[in-house]
Amino acid sequence: MAKRRSPRTLAVTTGLQTGSQDQARREGLPSIRAGRLRTYDPAAPNVARFLELLDRRLTRAVASSFAGCVHCGRCAESCHYFLARPDDPTLTPVWKADQIRRIFKRRRDWMGRLVPWWVRARVPADDGDLNRLKDIVFGTCSGCRRCTFNCPMGVDTALLIRFARGLLTELGIVPEGIFNVSRDQWETGNQMAVTPTDYLETLQWMTDELATELGDPSVTIPIDKPDCDFLYVINPREVKFDPRSISQAAKLFHLAGETWTLTSRGWDQTNFGLFSGDDGLGGFMAENVHEAAVRLKAKRVVISECGHGFRSTRWEGFTWAGLDQTIPYESVVETIWRYLLEGRVRVDKGRNPEPVTFHDSCNIARSGGIIEEPRLVLRRVCADFREMHPNRTENFCCTGGGGLLSLPEYRPLRLEAARIKADQLTATGAKFVCTMCHNCVDGLADVIKHYKLDIRVVQVLELVDKALVV
Amino acid sequence: MSHFLHLLENEVHHAALAFMIVVNALRLGWMFRFRSRREKAWPAGKEGAGIAFSLANIIRPGAMESIRTKPFFYAQFVLFHLGVVTAIAETFIIPSAPEVLRVPGTAWTFRVIMAAAFIVGLLRLIRRFRNKAVRFISSVDDYFTLILVILFFGAAFLAVWADFQRSQTLLLVFFSLTAVFLIYEPFSKVIHYLYYPFTHFFLGRSLGRRGVYPLRPHPDKDDVRSGTRPAAEERV
């Protein structure tokens, strides 16, 4: 018989792995020397620094979400973690948020300062407590914001989780995966450390493939072409694991008669600053894209299919970087919809006869505002499009959000929570689940494999590509 | 009327009320001391519409899945807060216009509301004790505040009857609890009404700007609900 877990035991407990940090320090990486990438120092007064950062970074939006919770517990059933493990009260959004809220109360709230035991206010005692907080904010929440949308008080729990992540990142108390990807973005300008050579060679390879497919040797994937209608920015995963999505986009743009370009610098639209809570990294990545657009005098920026990339590039990135937006930014799905409306490309939905459902990426729907466009496109290119339920702003996370895909230590819990998504997918009876996010592609693929579902993940571009009438 | 009851109904009540207002004002000042940050990206929707939508969420039980799927919880919410308003109204009516509560129809309305609110309060307390997830997050303040409010409701229920019968003991209890309630309020979670506009303002401003709020009913028949800005077909 399984041993009953005490409710006070955390759903996941991991030690702080610092192997990558130690190596990065030994190598003297420029980002570490410049103080942009933080590493853990066990001898440092980390708790005091944490509290000082908390005081300094508080905004009114964060403070009101800290102060506004009434512990009604309505958020519990909106969280896929809690729904998958309803006997574990440490998986409710409110409890997770309370672990940072109690520190806020002890520091800033009157009652918390005077009679902390009355309101459960408490500051971390040592680095062990901070590490425990790390497991909660990085390991048991994907920042999907479903609880935020379901809070009668309007408490933005995902905002609080990201706030706490940011404080811990500043101290180097982060999972290795978060450190590694942040390091790669700081050091190479892209999250998968794709070298310029690999990038350019992949684009050349895709150009050759596309020319062969279309039987037109003049087809190119332009790089650093100035004065174009738009600059297309992509996810490094496309270069490394899924280059066909680049050629699919190129083919579409070619058929639509578009003048567009990729850039040799600032091409990564993803942004691990969103996941790590590091506004510095967030601003750095956003500025890279912005600078590329300015340098190439692009009239707009089109963002390839990526959830957190879209959200951070289109929305938060400007704030993090302190930049004023000067040209429009849009998702490639919005671009596709415009082509279809303007009749610039022709499609045949009969080429996608199998039942297709759509998974709303949290960062694109709940936090990005792109909700109807993918549906409008899919209805044009698929013969049998069906909604999954719940959908749109009420959809459940793919379970891979919040950077969790790069955190293997939290994978067992993530896949346990994925039962909710698996049930959702199964209920549709679809053969394909379409999403407009690379993160979701991997997250859903994990769910499908783990729960042995008879369904395949595709992206919007892939289905549009199949339906294109050349 | 005894001198003590007169004191409780007037001077003590007004002093407690003034204390609450002053402390709440300080609370507001405290909240405004935190810096506010605005998003710099171009908007895709209207901030004002988003804020209005978010602020009005609480009177739209269909807007949130957590409420839509639990109509009994929403009914409890309405009755509980109606009870708060009614009990507070009583604290003014009894000293200044007691004849209002001597009208049988009005008195019964007050009694029914207060009785319902009292029962809802008890149900909430039972839930807080019995629901593992809720119990796990509950602090002493959560229990104390809820018990205080339940007692306040109970006293308000009895006070209507007491005034009708000229029973001073129950009125003494009611106005004593009123003073305690008013003095404790700014330090308890009851003050959430002061933060509600802040949380919903920030959420609504951000989501309104991004075109997520106001959620729109969608015409598709297989749709659950929701939607965002005007469909792309309408906009192009």
Side-chain angles (χ1 to χ4, degrees):
Chain A
M1 191 174 149
K3 193 180 165 189
R4 266 184 79 87
R5 235 166 34 83
S6 153
R8 288 191 186 277
T9 309
L10 284 184
V12 278
T13 321
T14 64
L16 181 62
Q17 305 295 321
T18 57
S20 299
Q21 298 192 20
D22 297 340
Q23 189 184 344
R25 258 199 315 268
R26 279 197 302 275
E27 289 172 1
L29 295 181
S31 56
I32 290 183
R33 287 204 308 270
R36 298 192 294 187
L37 181 64
R38 305 289 184 166
T39 55
Y40 175 62
D41 176 4
N46 288 306
V47 171
R49 175 93 177 113
F50 180 91
L51 298 176
E52 183 232 320
L53 282 168
L54 179 135
D55 287 341
R56 187 147 51 85
R57 291 189 178 178
L58 278 170
T59 62
R60 206 174 299 150
V62 172
S64 61
S65 275
F66 274 137
C69 179
V70 291
H71 286 167
C72 69
R74 294 314 317 159
C75 55
E77 286 167 24
S78 64
C79 176
H80 56 283
Y81 278 100
F82 182 71
L83 286 174
R85 204 190 267 184
D87 278 341
D88 190 342
T90 67
L91 290 178
T92 60
V94 54
W95 188 85
K96 297 171 205 170
D98 264 6
Q99 303 318 297
I100 175 84
R101 181 176 285 117
R102 65 198 306 181
I103 305 170
F104 167 84
K105 283 187 174 174
R106 188 72 182 90
R107 297 285 291 179
R108 305 301 288 258
D109 182 72
W110 300 343
M111 286 298 274
R113 289 164 80 167
L114 290 171
V115 265
W117 57 273
W118 189 258
V119 290
R120 285 190 165 184
R122 182 174 172 266
V123 290
D126 51 28
D127 289 10
D129 277 353
L130 293 177
N131 187 56
R132 190 169 163 273
L133 184 62
K134 174 212 77 183
D135 283 333
I136 295 164
V137 297
F138 284 103
T140 67
C141 175
S142 62
C144 76
R145 254 183 154 183
R146 205 168 183 276
C147 54
T148 301
F149 275 62
N150 277 295
C151 174
M153 273 299 296
V155 169
D156 195 344
T157 296
L159 177 75
L160 303 184
I161 295 290
R162 185 177 181 275
F163 178 78
R165 285 181 173 200
L167 304 183
L168 293 168
T169 298
E170 194 73 19
L171 305 173
I173 302 180
V174 290
E176 285 232 292
I178 294 287
F179 177 83
N180 290 339
V181 182
S182 300
R183 177 201 59 208
D184 289 345
Q185 283 209 314
W186 277 120
E187 290 296 318
T188 67
N190 73 83
Q191 64 152 290
M192 290 189 177
V194 175
T195 64
T197 309
D198 281 349
Y199 174 68
L200 295 173
E201 280 182 355
T202 304
L203 295 184
Q204 186 54 52
W205 170 35
M206 286 302 106
T207 304
D208 296 344
E209 294 265 315
L210 188 57
T212 306
E213 183 190 342
L214 294 175
D216 180 357
S218 69
V219 175
T220 60
I221 295 180
I223 304 167
D224 289 336
K225 187 175 162 189
D227 301 311
C228 285
D229 281 348
F230 66 76
L231 165 69
Y232 189 53
V233 286
I234 59 175
N235 183 322
R237 183 182 174 278
E238 297 182 70
V239 182
K240 211 148 184 172
F241 302 114
D242 192 15
R244 78 200 151 85
S245 65
I246 303 170
S247 66
Q248 284 161 355
K251 180 178 162 187
L252 178 79
F253 301 151
H254 173 75
L255 293 175
E258 193 70 77
T259 59
W260 67 289
T261 186
L262 286 165
T263 171
S264 56
R265 295 198 313 273
W267 52 267
D268 180 6
Q269 41 96 339
T270 69
N271 199 324
F272 234 63
L274 180 70
F275 297 150
S276 67
D278 181 354
D279 289 2
L281 176 59
F284 169 70
M285 292 306 295
E287 203 164 351
N288 286 349
V289 171
H290 177 79
E291 276 178 4
V294 170
R295 175 168 47 86
L296 297 172
K297 299 188 187 72
K299 294 182 186 69
R300 71 174 61 212
V301 172
V302 173
I303 303 158
S304 74
E305 291 181 78
C306 177
H308 89 277
F310 173 77
R311 176 179 167 185
S312 44
T313 307
R314 170 68 182 90
W315 295 109
E316 277 99 331
F318 293 101
T319 315
W320 294 330
L323 288 169
D324 288 319
Q325 188 172 357
T326 51
I327 54 171
Y329 281 45
E330 69 182 21
S331 160
V332 68
V333 174
E334 291 175 285
T335 315
I336 295 169
W337 178 236
R338 201 170 55 244
Y339 291 164
L340 291 171
L341 279 181
E342 292 169 356
R344 291 168 71 175
V345 290
R346 286 190 300 134
V347 288
D348 173 11
K349 64 166 73 172
R351 296 182 185 184
N352 286 312
E354 305 89 349
V356 175
T357 189
F358 182 68
H359 163 82
D360 290 276
S361 153
C362 309
N363 284 317
I364 289 177
R366 269 189 288 274
S367 294
I370 305 285
I371 299 176
E372 299 309 323
E373 287 83 348
R375 292 175 163 76
L376 293 165
V377 170
L378 290 177
R379 287 200 172 91
R380 290 277 188 103
V381 301
C382 301
D384 182 359
F385 171 71
R386 48 184 76 176
E387 289 285 4
M388 76 169 68
H389 297 284
N391 55 46
R392 297 182 169 87
T393 55
E394 292 183 353
N395 191 28
F396 282 101
C397 176
C398 69
T399 71
L404 278 160
L405 281 177
S406 54
L407 311 177
E409 60 269 50
Y410 304 128
R411 190 167 185 268
L413 179 66
R414 174 168 69 81
L415 287 175
E416 187 184 334
R419 184 176 57 74
I420 307 303
K421 192 79 232 174
D423 291 346
Q424 242 192 316
L425 292 172
T426 307
T428 65
K431 290 293 171 195
F432 291 97
V433 53
C434 179
T435 183
M436 50 185 289
C437 168
H438 280 275
N439 215 45
C440 294
V441 168
D442 289 339
L444 291 170
D446 259 8
V447 177
I448 290 165
K449 190 177 169 194
H450 185 76
Y451 288 93
K452 299 180 177 61
L453 308 182
D454 180 23
I455 191 167
R456 192 166 85 78
V457 194
V458 290
Q459 291 200 270
V460 177
L461 258 173
E462 188 179 340
L463 292 173
V464 170
D465 184 68
K466 268 179 79 179
L468 274 177
V469 177
V470 181
Chain B
M1 182 189 288
S2 74
H3 176 67
F4 187 53
L5 179 58
H6 184 272
L7 205 67
L8 269 179
E9 280 188 2
N10 297 284
E11 285 80 357
V12 173
H13 180 210
H14 295 158
L17 196 62
F19 175 81
M20 186 197 83
I21 290 168
V22 169
V23 181
N24 280 1
L26 291 172
R27 278 275 188 196
L28 273 181
W30 171 75
M31 186 52 77
F32 275 109
R33 279 210 296 276
F34 296 104
R35 69 197 158 90
S36 184
R37 204 175 173 188
R38 282 188 78 91
E39 213 159 63
K40 292 175 82 81
W42 285 355
K46 291 178 180 164
E47 283 185 356
I51 293 165
F53 181 85
S54 187
L55 283 168
N57 247 352
I58 210 68
I59 54 165
R60 258 195 323 266
M64 276 178 281
E65 182 196 73
S66 60
I67 305 298
R68 188 172 65 245
T69 55
K70 308 274 185 206
F72 184 59
F73 184 86
Y74 187 74
Q76 284 188 38
F77 157 80
V78 172
L79 285 172
F80 190 84
H81 287 84
L82 199 58
V84 173
V85 173
T86 309
I88 291 170
E90 267 187 46
T91 65
F92 294 100
I93 293 171
I94 291 174
S96 55
E99 63 279 4
V100 172
L101 291 177
R102 294 196 186 102
V103 177
T106 316
W108 272 109
T109 306
F110 272 66
R111 278 182 202 138
V112 167
I113 292 172
M114 292 323 306
F118 178 77
I119 291 165
V120 167
L122 286 177
L123 289 175
R124 285 187 163 201
L125 188 62
I126 291 166
R127 176 174 176 264
R128 196 161 283 283
F129 277 117
R130 289 187 60 181
N131 185 307
K132 192 176 171 185
V134 179
R135 189 174 65 240
F136 199 58
I137 53 170
S138 297
S139 64
V140 179
D141 174 53
D142 291 321
Y143 291 111
F144 180 79
T145 304
L146 187 51
I147 290 167
L148 183 64
V149 174
I150 291 168
L151 291 174
F152 185 50
F153 286 162
F157 171 78
L158 294 172
V160 182
W161 177 82
D163 192 59
F164 205 54
Q165 302 292 319
R166 293 270 178 245
S167 168
Q168 295 204 351
T169 313
L170 291 172
L171 286 177
L172 280 170
V173 172
F174 176 58
F175 279 98
S176 301
L177 274 170
T178 302
V180 173
F181 180 74
L182 291 175
I183 291 167
Y184 182 60
E185 185 265 3
F187 307 101
S188 73
K189 69 177 202 171
V190 179
I191 201 170
H192 67 275
Y193 67 86
L194 207 67
Y195 301 134
Y196 182 93
F198 285 95
T199 49
H200 280 281
F201 171 83
F202 289 112
L203 190 64
R205 185 172 76 173
S206 167
L207 297 180
R209 190 175 181 83
R210 296 180 188 196
V212 181
Y213 274 2
L215 297 174
R216 287 160 57 95
H218 198 264
D220 296 340
K221 55 179 182 238
D222 64 348
D223 176 55
V224 172
R225 201 190 53 83
S226 85
T228 53
R229 48 198 161 151
E233 244 159 341
E234 294 168 39
R235 286 190 284 116
V236 177

